[in-house]
């Protein structure tokens, strides 16, 4: 794989040569998705690009976390458009507490924010290039719901550990959903869900969703020193709409609408997404290209070098089938 960055040099590279390279290719902006509500985006342009990769980050993340992946996409000849989803990073907040993630309607908010970004930025700047979609975790659920809602926009879609369900503090999903609906009904929709709280700066690598200490430390240091990145967790309103969206995303009715070829990437040691929901999506969309990664946690892209190499190689081979 071109220009691979090993764990031993990752932090130093992304602080110096890698940063200079990304800075030289990046422009930034804010897009109004509603009156007084703007989302932050980053657009990376490469000479003679073969397509545009739109990247959706996961729950409590920001697009800055994906700078290593963005570097690889650029080196392989793709423009990259990425953004901080509402309630995350440098985008607007729905509630006063900047640590808390709130949502009322997953599709009307997250999916439509993505659609506006695609129409106003990607298509406007690159009307003749094919569009490709990458989503991790919550971003994977957003991506899945997008290609179910707008089946003719993207030429290919990569779903990495997509949030097709949520393990909530060790309780069954059905109980978590009923609890979330009850809390909303009694006026506690903006209260943190079970096990969620404001940002805690002392997260330990062993309890993280990564298997690479270097990749974990790189973003953990950034997050601890950047107030906009200090995200805690979601409230009951977010949980309620996220569980609904996850269930819709894997349903037979919705998957039948998908026309975009899909690459589904699963971590076998995922503590966040129930594997049975991944299996349900595969069953309802038989043409899905699928790869599972052994001894790997939720953030496959933050694994050790051999896994990240194979992960990226799989993605680029999938994209190059179209290109």
């Amino acid at each position: 794989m071109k220009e691979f960055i090993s764990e031993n040099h990752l932090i130093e590279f992304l602080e110096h040569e890698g940063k200079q390279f990304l800075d030289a290719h990046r422009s930034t902006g804010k897009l109004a998705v509603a009156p007084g509500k703007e989302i932050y985006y980053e657009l990376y342009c490469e000479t003679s690009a073969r397509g545009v990769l739109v990247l959706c980050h996961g729950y409590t993340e920001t697009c800055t976390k994906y700078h290593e992946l963005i570097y690889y996409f650029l080196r392989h000849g793709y423009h990259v458009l990425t953004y901080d989803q509402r309630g995350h990073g440098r985008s607007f907040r729905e509630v006063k507490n900047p640590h808390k993630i709130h949502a009322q309607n997953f599709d009307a908010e997250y999916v439509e924010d993505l659609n506006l970004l695609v129409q106003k930025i990607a298509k406007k700047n690159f009307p003749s290039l094919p569009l490709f979609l990458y989503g991790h975790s919550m971003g994977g659920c957003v991506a899945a719901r997008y290609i179910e809602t707008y089946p003719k926009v993207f030429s290919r879609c990569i779903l990495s550990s997509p949030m097709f369900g949520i393990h909530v503090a060790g309780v069954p999903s059905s109980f978590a959903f009923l609890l979330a609906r009850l809390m909303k009904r009694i006026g506690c929709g903006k209260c943190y869900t079970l096990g969620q709280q404001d940002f805690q700066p002392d997260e330990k690598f062993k309890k993280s969703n990564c298997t690479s200490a270097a990749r974990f430390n790189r973003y953990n240091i950034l997050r601890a020193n950047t107030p906009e990145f200090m995200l805690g967790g979601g409230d009951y309103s977010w949980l309620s709409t996220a569980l609904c969206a996850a269930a819709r995303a894997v349903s037979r009715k919705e998957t039948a609408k998908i026309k975009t070829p899909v690459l589904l990437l699963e971590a076998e040691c995922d503590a966040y997404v129930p594997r049975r929901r991944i299996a349900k999506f595969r069953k309802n969309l038989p043409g899905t290209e699928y790869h599972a990664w052994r001894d790997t946690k939720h953030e496959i892209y933050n694994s050790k070098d051999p896994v990240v190499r194979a992960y990226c190689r799989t993605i680029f081979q999938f994209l190059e089938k179209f290109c």
Side-chain angles (χ1 to χ4, degrees), residues 208-229:
S208 75
N209 286 313
C210 313
T211 54
S212 166
R215 292 185 167 94
F216 167 80
N217 288 332
R218 178 251 163 187
Y219 186 68
N220 205 40
I221 292 168
L222 281 173
R223 190 172 56 164
N225 291 284
T226 311
E228 294 91 343
F229 297 178

Side-chain angles (χ1 to χ4, degrees), residues 121-172:
I121 308 299
K123 285 194 169 186
K124 184 177 179 180
N125 284 277
F126 312 107
S128 61
L129 287 178
L131 302 181
F132 307 108
L133 183 58
Y134 171 99
H136 164 74
S137 191
M138 186 186 90
C141 187
V142 173
R145 290 296 298 134
Y146 188 95
I147 61 173
E148 290 167 350
T149 308
Y150 301 100
K152 296 182 179 181
V153 175
F154 285 97
S155 297
R156 298 212 162 225
C157 179
I158 301 125
L159 303 177
S160 182
S161 305
M163 188 191 74
F164 288 158
I166 308 171
H167 288 302
V168 183
V171 302

Side-chain angles (χ1 to χ4, degrees), residues 290-311:
Y290 169 77
H291 291 265
W293 307 92
R294 290 183 178 179
D295 302 320
T296 300
K297 295 183 180 180
H298 184 62
E299 296 177 13
I300 310 172
Y301 66 95
N302 276 331
S303 301
K304 292 183 177 296
D305 285 350
V307 172
V308 174
R309 279 182 181 273
Y311 175 82

Side-chain angles (χ1 to χ4, degrees), residues 246-264:
R248 281 195 299 272
V250 301
S251 70
R252 184 177 301 175
K253 177 183 177 182
E254 295 302 310
T255 53
K257 299 175 183 177
I258 295 176
K259 307 301 179 187
T260 309
V262 173
L263 172 63
L264 178 60

